[in-house]
Amino acid sequence: LKLSALTAVVKQLEYFRAMAMQTRRASLLVVVVACCVAALFTSVGLSFVGQPLHGPSVSLSVGRQAYTKGPLVTDPPEEVLSLKQRHLVPSAEHLEYAIVQFGTGQHMVMEGGMYETRFIRAVPGAKVRLNRVLLMKTKNDEDSFDVSIGQPFIGGAYADITILEHLLSEEQTMYLHKPKKHYQRRKIIQEKLTRFRIDKIVKEADDL
C-alpha cells in the first residue's frame, strides 16, 4: 500500500513538471514572436500606433524643438490689464507715511489718519507720543521723496496721537475642550480697543 501511494505521488510530480515545462516553453515562444514582430515593424518604418516613425509628416527636429527652452526675457512687456486697473489699485507711491510700532505689530500710518489698536491706558482727548518709528517717507524741497530706515528705530523720530475713544471689538467665540474629561466651555469675549488720530509725524526730536 505504501509503495503504491509513493508511486502515485511520483507520477503526480512528473505530471506537474511536464506541465511547467510546457508553460515555460509557451511563454518563451510568445516573447520570441513579439520581438520578431517589433523588429519587422521597425525595419518597415511603422509603429504600433499606426503612424510612420520616419517620414515627411513627422520630423525629429520638430520633436526636439518642443522641449528646448527659449531665450530668457529680461524686459517683459507690461500687461495691458494692469494699465487699465492701476488707478483702481491703492498705492502709496505718492504718499508720505511712516511705519510705527504700537499694539502688537508694526503699522503704516499717515498724518490725519484714524486707527484702532489694543487698549491704551489714557483718557479720551489725551495726547500720547509714539517713539518707535521704524521707517519714514517724507517729501523734500525738490518734490521727490526721501526714505529713512531705522536700525531698528529712527533716532529722534516720533508720532503724536490724540486718543479719541475706547470701544469693544466684535464678539469672538472661544471654545475650550479637554478630551476624555467631559469638559467643554464656550465663551463669547470682546477685547478692549482704542481709537486714535495721528496729529503729526516728526523726524527730528524737539523739546517736549
Side-chain angles (χ1 to χ4, degrees):
L1 183 61
K2 292 183 179 180
L3 183 60
S4 61
L6 183 59
T7 306
V9 172
V10 171
K11 289 182 179 181
Q12 194 72 20
L13 291 176
E14 289 293 336
Y15 174 75
F16 285 136
R17 181 174 176 274
M19 292 294 296
M21 290 296 295
Q22 292 180 3
T23 306
R24 187 178 303 174
R25 291 172 183 172
S27 59
L28 183 61
L29 181 62
V30 170
V31 173
V32 172
V33 171
C35 293
C36 295
V37 171
L40 179 62
F41 270 67
T42 306
S43 61
V44 174
L46 299 176
S47 63
F48 288 100
V49 295
Q51 297 180 356
L53 294 175
H54 306 286
S57 60
V58 179
S59 177
L60 294 179
S61 61
V62 175
R64 292 194 189 98
Q65 290 178 2
Y67 296 96
T68 56
K69 295 183 179 180
L72 182 62
V73 179
T74 56
D75 298 327
E78 195 166 7
E79 297 182 2
V80 181
L81 186 62
S82 62
L83 292 175
K84 293 181 179 179
Q85 297 183 348
R86 178 165 295 178
H87 65 283
L88 302 176
V89 179
S91 174
E93 184 178 358
H94 304 289
L95 297 178
E96 293 182 293
Y97 61 89
I99 305 297
V100 184
Q101 180 178 348
F102 59 85
T104 58
Q106 303 170 2
H107 308 273
M108 172 182 169
V109 297
M110 294 179 294
E111 290 188 0
M114 292 188 295
Y115 305 92
E116 293 180 359
T117 183
R118 287 192 172 182
F119 180 74
I120 298 177
R121 193 175 297 276
V123 297
K127 303 290 184 178
V128 180
R129 176 165 293 184
L130 305 176
N131 54 6
R132 294 187 174 184
V133 181
L134 292 91
L135 182 143
M136 287 189 64
K137 181 182 177 183
T138 55
K139 184 177 291 187
N140 53 23
D141 299 335
E142 300 177 357
D143 203 14
S144 59
F145 292 93
D146 295 333
V147 178
S148 302
I149 302 176
Q151 298 179 0
F153 305 118
I154 300 176
Y158 63 89
D160 285 340
I161 66 173
T162 301
I163 305 298
L164 300 179
E165 61 175 337
H166 300 293
L167 62 155
L168 296 177
S169 65
E170 297 181 356
E171 293 183 352
Q172 302 177 12
T173 303
M174 179 184 296
Y175 180 75
L176 303 177
H177 170 68
K178 296 181 181 180
K180 303 179 183 179
K181 298 298 182 181
H182 300 283
Y183 180 88
Q184 57 180 357
R185 296 290 185 272
R186 184 178 285 106
K187 300 179 182 179
I188 297 178
I189 62 174
Q190 289 180 293
E191 294 183 348
K192 292 183 179 181
L193 302 178
T194 298
R195 182 175 296 164
F196 62 90
R197 181 182 66 245
I198 301 289
D199 296 331
K200 63 178 179 178
I201 302 174
V202 183
K203 185 176 181 180
E204 301 294 336
D206 55 358
D207 296 333
L208 297 176

